[in-house]
Amino acid sequence: MQKPEPGFLFSIGFFLYVFVLSVHSQNDDYSVMAILKKALNSTSDLQWNGPDICKWEHIQCNSGRVTAIQISSLNLQGTLPKELIQLTQLQIFQCNNNGLTGPVPYMPKSLQRLAINNNNFNSIPTDFFKGMTNMLDVRIDYNPFGQWNIPDSLQDCVSITSFSGMNASFVGKIPAFLGKDGPLPALVYLALCFNNLEGELPGSFSGSSMERLLINGQQSMNKLNGTIAVLQNMTFLKQIWIHGNSFTGPIPDLSNHDQLYDVSLRDNQLTGVIPPSLIALPSLTVVNLTNNYLQGSPPKFKDGVRVDNDMVRGSNSFCTKKIGEPCSPLVNALLSAVEPLGYPKKLADSWKGDDPCVGGNNEWLGIVCSASPVNISLINFQSMGFSGKISPNFASLTSVTKLLFANNNLTGIIPSELTSMPLLKELDVSNNNLYGKVPLFRPEVTIKTEGNPNIGKDPPAPVTGDNSGGKGKNHTVGIIIGIVAGVVILLGLGAVLYIKSSRKKLKHVSEVQIPNEIEVHPHHFEGGNAKKASVAGGGIGSSSPSSSAHNAEAGNMVFSIKVLREVTDNFNQRNILGRGGFGTVYKGELHDGTKIAVKRMESGIMGEGEKGLSEFKSEIAVLTKVRHRHLVALLGHCLDGNERLLVYEYMPQGPLSNHLFDRNEDEESKPLEWKRRLIIALDVARGVEYLHGLAQQIFIHRDLKPSNILLGDDMRAKVSDFGLVRLVPEGQASFETRLAGTFGYLAPEYAVTGRVTTKVDVYSYGVILMEMITGRKAIDNSQPEENVHLVTWFRRMLLNRDSFQKIIDPALDVEEEALDSFRTVAELAGHCCAREPYQRPDMSNVVNVLAPLVEIWKPSESTPADIYGLDLDMSLPQALHNWQALDGMSTINTSSSTMLRTRDYNTQSSLPAASGFANSFNSMDAR
Ligand SMILES: *[C@@H]1O[C@H](CO)[C@@H](O)[C@H](O)[C@H]1NC(C)=O
Ligand SMILES: *[C@@H]1O[C@H](CO)[C@@H](O)[C@H](O)[C@H]1NC(C)=O
Ligand SMILES: *[C@@H]1O[C@H](CO)[C@@H](O)[C@H](O)[C@H]1NC(C)=O
Ligand SMILES: *[C@@H]1O[C@H](CO)[C@@H](O)[C@H](O)[C@H]1NC(C)=O
Ligand SMILES: *[C@@H]1O[C@H](CO)[C@@H](O)[C@H](O)[C@H]1NC(C)=O
Ligand SMILES: *[C@@H]1O[C@H](CO)[C@@H](O)[C@H](O)[C@H]1NC(C)=O
């Protein structure tokens, strides 16, 4: 008898196994759902009936498996069963805003979004997040968990962009792994308000890509403390809420925080002078400094910034109550003298008003005044526990006879400036930690330096080991050489590691589905460039040997023509992605499979010669730094002879125009749904908003149109070709017409006068909106003469309420409830295309109108205050504002959108409310 092959048996067994498994798991999903239904004490709100769980309300499936359970705000009672972990395809689980109790069970590893906030869960396993590598978004706020630390297992959520654990009974410290170089590189939103956290902000936050840091209102005894110096290096921050803690020290320099708009520092123990960089923040809209010990002149912020620094209650230590009024020179001198001491709180607490010698009573701690003439005669900071350096600015206090700094922990040197103090009789720095040579004072000055072990010596060498100090220059040279060598080696190692890790990160980011509007700053992609540097390998530098290393570091890769030829198959026709006003774009693939888009500038279009070259380079340097989630990133460039090439990230789904107009009917490419179009419109608006104001400098695109809007595989949009017009030397008339834009999208004033403002882009954007609504091109020659120009036709149709629905793209299924949003967008488009530039909204207004319409992921119907921990005593507009600020996290229902819209338009542009639009448009036209 012939025995069957074991392999054959095995495969049969395997197939059977797979078959059973798949049938089985469907059944499992049913049984798990049945268990869940029971555990939830299902009320009538939950329409969970019938055998097909995929037809149950609030459930989504894929291939019969449950992928989403969204049962927020249904007034549910009961518990969550431990069987939930068997739903191995579950990606979204939201049960927020119910009355669920008991422990939170383990969830399947497939989970991406978890919202269990605002329930009565009493515990959650500390290893809950173990292995949850798919997690993007976690909300566990407002549950009466027992006290726990921020769990270490969170480190497994390597894709997470948003973690919200407000009022979640956290104790202990904020862990360092949440910061830079930790395992969570995509984390941009961190909310830990109203817990019992204590200790300092981790140093690892320095350099992180965090955009929203909300840690206000800790309830612990000590609250969060230490300085907020790390904020200086968190330059992606948009929102800082640290109020209601015990932070000390000065507000750091914020001059690199160009996106920061909401700064709440109130109710801490901050001291020092308000840094000018805070006042100058370009995006600032709200700032609250109340109840600190801030010093110096009360700051005057720009118009439009909502400020509360509470002069009335005098809850800071400003020198005057009058905003913007400078302090007296003496006070300024004292403040600058104590800056290197970190503006000690003791002093800030006692130094009130603008006169250190007020009333001759010596009320200012550490300051002793002489009676006549009234002036500072003595600075007495002895035994005050100060650390930091001695400021050379004490020298400007020329009336001082004694500087007494004994018994502190002062470091650094004795500044030689102090020798110039004309009346100085005594300098006592004994028992500190100073080093260096004592400068030469006048002979009559008594200098006390005992108790400073290193005084008279060189600075303590920063390397450990043999550190006997006085072996002469030779030794020092050796140390320096050693340090340099060490640094070189470390840098080398670092570069290798960096390239490796950026490789990981790049992959990471491309896989991460970024939740709606939480922007992952393209910062991460810079690592990707470094990687490409290594990939492009041998070719690099052959065109630009001197600068490649430097450029690679700045994220501005120099590619060699050889590499670019190779990856585009010698600029093969087959690889052409498109042609634009500036050149032809080719697709390329680097050795590791990374796709790029290479734009080969038309020869002659760029300035030539040395000057043209250096201008090109400096412009490229600027453009590489303009990074935003909705702008196509410039990765690098290539210069070779007359060849000018730009290398961009590759956008797989191509230009928007292909999806709107040039669709291939027989392919299965479906028309873009309205929701999709809205999301794209908002993406574009955000990108352009950034170009217009939030980047380091203002960019005006001048050629916005659907073929310049590119889509990724997630169908999110990015604007391309921005800033290119800047690459072309001024006054090249022959290109003017070609570069100035595209007919159909040109703002009238631009077409006529050539005057360019940001409103030129707003106009073009309006045309794009019209195209997205109607599915018709800006210029459509197939139409009867009077309808060829989309804007003209659109305006006419919009004036007539009855014809409104006829403008909607016939390819779209229009649902009744979507009509409102059509109307809103149509009106917005009309405003954007207003004849006069000043009548058009700003791009930020556009964003504010669109954001509420876009609903990608709706967490719940609950009030924002519940979720986002806003103060309930906030006024409604304020709350709305803050909420809007958090728009990435949620959406605003349409009933409030009108309110936002009317509120957020420029007041001077006096745009009419939605309903009056048609009329006003009429009158605008009549001008
Ligand atoms: C669920 O319902 C049962 C009976 O209807 C009740 O006894 C039980 O207390 C309920 N549980 C919760 C958590 O509401
Ligand atoms: C911060 O608070 C902790 C206790 O939570 C305390 O040990 C530490 O000394 C404090 N640090 C500062 C700088 O006050
Ligand atoms: C900020 O970054 C710079 C440069 O990396 C570093 O020297 C400095 O110590 C950082 N500051 C803080 C407060 O982390
Ligand atoms: C600033 O904080 C105080 C409480 O310290 C609050 O009363 C006030 O409304 C806040 N102002 C703004 C503009 O947020
Ligand atoms: C003195 O300052 C140094 C460096 O700033 C610090 O390491 C040390 O702990 C301080 N000592 C005291 C007693 O504060
Ligand atoms: C070190 O110093 C000694 C004398 O001070 C000198 O003879 C010797 O050449 C020096 N060595 C180096 C490496 O500079």
Side-chain angles (χ1 to χ4, degrees):
M1 208 165 74
Q2 200 177 357
K3 282 189 188 161
E5 297 256 328
F8 174 72
L9 275 184
F10 174 77
S11 18
I12 294 219
F14 182 72
F15 282 122
L16 269 177
Y17 173 74
V18 168
F19 178 73
V20 168
L21 196 70
S22 59
V23 168
H24 189 69
S25 51
Q26 277 190 29
N27 290 342
D28 268 0
D29 278 7
Y30 180 85
S31 59
V32 173
M33 291 306 295
I35 294 170
L36 176 63
K37 178 179 165 185
K38 200 159 166 208
L40 290 178
N41 268 9
S42 155
T43 63
S44 53
D45 285 350
L46 213 49
Q47 299 290 322
W48 283 4
N49 300 308
D52 186 355
I53 48 174
C54 297
K55 296 218 171 95
W56 289 8
E57 262 194 65
H58 316 294
I59 305 298
Q60 284 176 39
C61 288
N62 189 1
S63 312
R65 301 292 314 276
V66 174
T67 56
I69 301 176
Q70 291 163 293
I71 46 175
S72 311
S73 307
L74 292 172
N75 202 10
L76 298 171
Q77 309 291 318
T79 57
L80 295 182
K82 62 182 185 322
E83 286 82 1
L84 281 179
I85 197 170
Q86 294 165 25
L87 299 175
T88 52
Q89 299 294 313
L90 188 66
Q91 293 173 1
I92 302 180
F93 184 81
Q94 296 160 357
C95 65
N96 48 299
N97 299 78
N98 285 299
L100 302 179
T101 53
V104 178
Y106 290 101
M107 295 275 177
K109 308 253 182 294
S110 52
L111 203 64
Q112 297 177 3
R113 302 183 191 284
L114 173 74
I116 56 170
N117 49 291
N118 301 78
N119 278 291
N120 283 315
F121 292 117
N122 59 22
S123 71
I124 183 168
T126 52
D127 57 350
F128 178 86
F129 297 103
K130 196 151 188 285
M132 302 284 254
T133 52
N134 295 303
M135 199 65 102
L136 299 175
D137 192 332
V138 173
R139 295 167 197 213
I140 58 172
D141 325 62
Y142 292 94
N143 277 295
F145 302 131
Q147 295 204 334
W148 61 321
N149 290 303
I150 295 172
D152 278 344
S153 64
L154 195 58
Q155 296 183 67
D156 283 8
C157 300
V158 290
S159 307
I160 197 166
T161 60
S162 163
F163 181 81
S164 192
M166 298 186 253
N167 201 338
S169 313
F170 286 130
V171 297
K173 295 188 169 183
I174 300 180
F177 68 72
L178 297 171
K180 184 176 159 56
D181 297 330
L184 316 179
L187 187 68
V188 291
Y189 178 93
L190 179 65
L192 298 169
C193 326
F194 314 123
N195 283 295
N196 297 301
L197 296 168
E198 56 184 24
E200 310 196 359
L201 285 176
S204 65
F205 276 15
S206 174
S208 86
S209 23
M210 206 121 32
E211 294 179 0
R212 301 178 198 277
L213 177 64
L214 313 180
I215 50 173
N216 47 287
Q218 299 305 321
Q219 319 281 312
S220 44
M221 270 274 276
N222 295 303
K223 308 190 171 188
L224 292 167
N225 65 6
T227 74
I228 55 173
V230 288
L231 297 181
Q232 176 173 356
N233 285 347
M234 297 176 74
T235 53
F236 296 109
L237 281 172
K238 297 175 170 173
Q239 191 173 32
I240 303 175
W241 283 9
I242 61 165
H243 52 266
N245 279 299
S246 302
F247 289 113
T248 51
I251 302 172
D253 177 63
L254 300 171
S255 34
N256 293 315
H257 296 56
D258 48 5
Q259 308 215 56
L260 184 55
Y261 67 87
D262 183 358
V263 184
S264 184
L265 308 180
R266 66 176 157 90
D267 301 299
N268 277 293
Q269 297 168 23
L270 301 175
T271 54
V273 175
I274 312 282
S277 57
L278 173 63
I279 300 166
L281 281 177
S283 308
L284 192 66
T285 57
V286 190
V287 59
N288 200 334
L289 307 173
T290 317
N291 276 327
N292 279 292
Y293 296 90
L294 295 167
Q295 296 164 283
S297 164
K300 173 147 179 51
F301 288 89
K302 281 181 297 204
D303 286 352
V305 176
R306 276 209 306 282
V307 195
D308 192 336
N309 39 33
D310 205 346
M311 242 58 62
V312 187
R313 280 193 287 158
S315 62
N316 271 307
S317 303
F318 295 127
C319 62
T320 158
K321 293 196 189 303
K322 228 165 147 190
I323 288 176
E325 187 175 71
C327 304
S328 65
L330 205 51
V331 168
N332 281 335
L334 280 172
L335 288 176
S336 67
V338 298
E339 180 189 355
L341 305 177
Y343 297 108
K345 195 193 129 205
K346 271 186 192 166
L347 301 182
D349 199 11
S350 135
W351 291 9
K352 299 269 160 68
D354 202 24
D355 180 4
C357 297
V358 57
N361 289 335
N362 298 332
E363 284 177 0
W364 282 38
L365 184 66
I367 310 295
V368 179
C369 294
S370 56
S372 80
V374 177
N375 223 331
I376 301 179
S377 63
L378 200 149
I379 306 272
N380 181 2
F381 289 169
Q382 296 187 88
S383 309
M384 290 208 182
F386 291 169
S387 55
K389 297 190 166 143
I390 300 176
S391 168
N393 294 329
F394 281 108
S396 63
L397 301 165
T398 48
S399 58
V400 167
T401 58
K402 291 187 181 178
L403 285 174
L404 308 177
F405 299 146
N407 307 321
N408 285 292
N409 189 14
L410 302 180
T411 49
I413 57 163
I414 301 173
S416 60
E417 286 82 351
L418 303 188
T419 59
S420 71
M421 296 174 75
L423 304 180
L424 193 65
K425 293 207 190 75
E426 183 179 339
L427 171 67
D428 185 354
V429 294
S430 35
N431 301 319
N432 279 291
N433 223 331
L434 300 168
Y435 66 82
K437 261 174 88 171
V438 179
L440 203 57
F441 285 84
R442 284 174 292 112
E444 58 270 33
V445 182
T446 312
I447 312 286
K448 298 184 180 161
T449 63
E450 62 274 11
N452 286 280
N454 293 315
I455 200 81
K457 296 179 189 166
D458 285 337
V463 279
T464 50
D466 178 28
N467 186 19
S468 43
K471 279 196 186 166
K473 279 229 152 73
N474 228 344
H475 190 74
T476 323
V477 171
I479 291 178
I480 291 173
I481 291 174
I483 293 173
V484 169
V487 166
V488 168
I489 290 170
L490 277 179
L491 277 181
L493 270 177
V496 170
L497 289 176
Y498 180 59
I499 287 167
K500 280 196 173 164
S501 77
S502 31
R503 215 186 169 103
K504 261 208 245 140
K505 277 187 193 169
L506 180 75
K507 212 164 152 202
H508 218 58
V509 169
S510 59
E511 284 166 2
V512 170
Q513 279 204 350
I514 298 149
N516 177 20
E517 271 87 71
I518 299 178
E519 291 167 12
V520 171
H521 199 281
H523 171 66
H524 298 300
F525 290 100
E526 285 174 13
N529 304 340
K531 166 205 174 189
K532 288 186 186 100
S534 77
V535 170
I540 293 179
S542 54
S543 66
S544 174
S546 58
S547 60
S548 65
H550 165 78
N551 283 339
E553 191 188 333
N556 182 6
M557 254 319 293
V558 177
F559 289 80
S560 82
I561 186 82
K562 186 163 147 267
V563 166
L564 294 185
R565 273 193 202 289
E566 222 167 84
V567 301
T568 59
D569 199 2
N570 202 15
F571 301 112
N572 195 311
Q573 292 272 335
R574 270 188 295 112
N575 285 327
I576 292 184
L577 290 169
R579 287 177 217 271
F582 306 95
T584 309
V585 187
Y586 299 85
K587 180 177 160 178
E589 189 167 334
L590 298 177
H591 297 165
D592 68 336
T594 312
K595 296 206 172 78
I596 54 174
V598 182
K599 173 162 259 170
R600 192 183 197 186
M601 309 298 271
E602 242 157 69
S603 63
I605 204 167
M606 293 293 144
E608 276 162 32
E610 274 303 308
K611 186 154 172 286
L613 196 70
S614 70
E615 277 169 7
F616 180 81
K617 280 186 180 166
S618 67
E619 278 302 325
I620 293 284
V622 173
L623 289 181
T624 354
K625 290 198 189 98
V626 179
R627 284 171 183 273
H628 186 270
R629 194 174 154 221
H630 298 300
L631 299 177
V632 175
L634 179 62
L635 303 178
H637 69 280
C638 165
L639 284 165
D640 196 272
N642 282 339
E643 289 270 16
R644 305 264 196 279
L645 299 112
L646 301 176
V647 179
Y648 291 96
E649 66 179 307
Y650 173 69
M651 298 293 288
Q653 293 298 326
L656 174 62
S657 46
N658 286 1
H659 298 262
L660 276 185
F661 321 117
D662 308 328
R663 263 184 308 116
N664 213 337
E665 292 295 341
D666 23 277
E667 276 178 34
E668 85 261 42
S669 79
K670 292 207 212 89
L672 291 174
E673 301 158 30
W674 177 237
K675 278 224 160 114
R676 223 1 108 198
R677 295 185 195 198
L678 278 178
I679 294 167
I680 292 170
L682 179 59
D683 289 349
V684 175
R686 289 216 149 107
V688 178
E689 178 193 25
Y690 177 80
L691 286 178
H692 282 183
L694 306 177
Q696 291 93 331
Q697 50 193 110
I698 294 176
F699 287 84
I700 301 172
H701 190 296
R702 303 195 206 185
D703 199 12
L704 277 179
K705 54 183 175 183
S707 57
N708 277 337
I709 293 165
L710 304 181
L711 301 178
D713 270 331
D714 54 0
M715 298 306 275
R716 301 300 295 266
K718 299 190 185 197
V719 177
S720 78
D721 271 8
F722 55 89
L724 279 201
V725 72
R726 299 159 51 92
L727 287 173
V728 181
E730 290 295 322
Q732 290 225 354
S734 53
F735 301 110
E736 201 68 19
T737 44
R738 183 157 47 153
L739 295 175
T742 306
F743 289 117
Y745 302 89
L746 284 183
E749 79 279 6
Y750 182 32
V752 173
T753 66
R755 275 194 43 121
V756 179
T757 64
T758 53
K759 296 298 171 74
V760 165
D761 285 348
V762 176
Y763 185 94
S764 309
Y765 180 81
V767 181
I768 297 171
L769 284 183
M770 292 180 185
E771 293 182 312
M772 302 227 278
I773 296 167
T774 61
R776 284 172 58 160
K777 290 187 182 178
I779 305 272
D780 186 350
N781 290 316
S782 69
Q783 296 289 333
E785 186 58 32
E786 73 274 15
N787 293 347
V788 164
H789 186 214
L790 175 63
V791 176
T792 314
W793 173 76
F794 191 94
R795 285 174 169 172
R796 210 171 42 241
M797 297 297 279
L798 204 56
L799 289 181
N800 184 345
R801 283 213 154 257
D802 302 329
S803 64
F804 172 72
Q805 231 162 311
K806 294 196 199 116
I807 65 176
I808 296 176
D809 187 348
L812 286 171
D813 291 330
V814 183
E815 292 158 28
E816 267 304 309
E817 64 264 36
L819 266 183
D820 272 350
S821 82
F822 272 107
R823 199 162 277 126
T824 308
V825 178
E827 285 165 0
L828 178 65
H831 285 306
C832 290
C833 292
R835 184 148 299 171
E836 299 296 334
Y838 71 86
Q839 290 171 325
R840 298 175 206 147
D842 281 325
M843 231 44 211
S844 49
N845 305 134
V846 172
V847 169
N848 285 337
V849 174
L850 290 179
L853 300 179
V854 171
E855 290 177 278
I856 295 178
W857 180 61
K858 203 173 173 189
S860 81
E861 278 72 38
S862 57
T863 66
D866 291 340
I867 307 184
Y868 302 117
L870 304 186
D871 288 354
L872 289 170
D873 55 1
M874 254 179 209
S875 66
L876 182 60
Q878 199 179 332
L880 264 177
H881 171 87
N882 282 353
W883 190 19
Q884 200 187 332
L886 282 163
D887 64 6
M889 307 302 298
S890 176
T891 51
I892 297 169
N893 65 35
T894 33
S895 63
S896 57
S897 75
T898 317
M899 192 163 165
L900 277 179
R901 183 165 59 237
T902 45
R903 197 176 69 79
D904 280 315
Y905 273 136
N906 265 343
T907 38
Q908 81 270 18
S909 70
S910 66
L911 285 163
S915 56
F917 169 72
N919 292 335
S920 68
F921 204 61
N922 208 356
S923 61
M924 266 156 24
D925 246 10
R927 281 174 193 234

